[in-house]
Amino acid sequence: MSDLTLPDGVIAHLGSSAEPVAQSLADEVANVLSERLSSAPRASLAVSGGSTPVPFFRALSDKNLDWCRVDIVLVDERWVDENDPASNTRLVKDNLLQGPCAQARFFSLKQPGESPAAALSEVEKVLDGLWFPLDVLILGMGTDGHTASLFPDAPELPEALALGGSARVAAMTPISQPQQRITLTFPVLAAAGYTALHLRGDDKLETLARALAHPNQIEAMPVRGFLKPGLRLFWSP
Ligand SMILES: O=C(O)[C@H](O)[C@@H](O)[C@H](O)[C@H](O)COP(=O)(O)O
């Protein structure tokens, strides 16, 4: 990380392996959620799918929190059935909604409908049960600079990035991906009270360096929209 210059106010937590970094992120997220619950009836947590979050999910699920007052939502979902190995809902149910965390309320982005576009209004209704802005947001990143399902090669990206829109979710059809996707929109994600970017591997570090080189070109690498003061970066090899 020595050759990576982070913007002022971005705090990096770097570790020598995935487990201790995942544990540190879980410790911090549990503290932020507990703090929020000390002054609000409920707290919201938005998490990413993919492979990186698994040790974090398992560490967080064991935390002693008032989970029945925590609302959990994915930042995005692949439009597949829950029993499909690609399902982020399945990943969350198998790894996060376990142990004490099983008492949390989960809001599924996967609703009945042939496509994300056909189900958008249904999903918006489900999200009416969540309080916004989100309290805690955990983002991952692909080596193309996507985060959530804000993909540079999705034709719907400009609309999903647009500020001022009322939509909380967008249907995405990224050319590079085998499945259609649904994602929380950029304004919803960017308004989160606490945001952590959880990355693993040297390839992600190289991607982050590219993202930092041209911070304003958000459509080319949507993760750039989150590289701002207050971001917490968690990285391990
Ligand atoms: O549905 C998804 O795939 C995620 O939400 C996505 O945004 C993920 O965070 C990145 O693709 C990184 O994925 P890995 O952790 O598997 O590298």
Side-chain angles (χ1 to χ4, degrees):
M1 284 288 279
S2 56
D3 55 355
L4 200 63
T5 308
L6 295 171
D8 290 347
V10 172
I11 300 157
H13 185 101
L14 317 174
S16 54
S17 64
E19 282 301 331
V21 168
Q23 187 61 57
S24 300
L25 177 56
D27 294 346
E28 188 161 291
V29 166
N31 291 337
V32 175
L33 290 171
S34 295
E35 177 63 29
R36 179 67 178 147
L37 290 170
S38 68
S39 60
R42 300 194 70 79
S44 56
L45 166 65
V47 295
S48 289
S51 56
T52 305
V54 174
F56 160 65
F57 286 167
R58 290 177 177 165
L60 183 62
S61 67
D62 279 341
K63 292 293 182 187
N64 182 20
L65 284 183
D66 196 0
W67 285 111
C68 63
R69 292 197 290 135
V70 177
D71 295 328
I72 297 177
V73 66
L74 276 157
V75 298
D76 67 339
E77 180 58 287
R78 297 87 179 270
W79 208 252
V80 295
D81 291 337
E82 199 171 307
N83 59 9
D84 186 312
S87 166
N88 285 338
T89 297
R90 169 182 163 155
L91 185 83
V92 165
K93 288 187 175 180
D94 289 351
N95 296 284
L96 179 57
L97 299 175
Q98 297 287 330
C101 183
Q103 296 173 61
R105 206 164 56 168
F106 178 65
F107 291 72
S108 177
L109 296 183
K110 182 66 173 66
Q111 294 298 322
E114 280 307 302
S115 69
L120 281 181
S121 56
E122 229 13 72
V123 178
E124 288 282 358
K125 277 192 207 118
V126 168
L127 295 181
D128 283 344
L130 255 179
W131 290 7
F132 291 91
L134 295 166
D135 294 311
V136 176
L137 170 65
I138 312 297
L139 289 175
M141 180 188 71
T143 52
D144 59 356
H146 84 262
T147 190
S149 279
L150 301 171
F151 281 87
D153 65 347
E156 307 87 353
L157 182 64
E159 202 176 325
L161 290 178
L163 298 173
S166 59
R168 290 172 293 199
V169 281
M172 307 295 278
T173 55
I175 299 157
S176 58
Q177 300 303 309
Q179 307 100 0
Q180 295 187 61
R181 304 267 189 124
I182 189 166
T183 187
L184 295 182
T185 57
F186 176 72
V188 166
L189 296 169
Y194 165 100
T195 301
L197 182 61
H198 186 200
L199 306 177
R200 180 178 182 184
D202 291 337
D203 58 342
K204 299 293 177 75
L205 218 47
E206 188 280 325
T207 304
L208 187 59
R210 276 191 291 121
L212 289 165
H214 303 284
N216 300 323
Q217 295 169 20
I218 295 177
E219 282 201 20
M221 296 183 84
V223 71
R224 286 170 171 153
F226 300 91
L227 304 181
K228 57 189 180 186
L231 176 72
R232 307 280 296 167
L233 171 65
F234 287 78
W235 177 84
S236 68

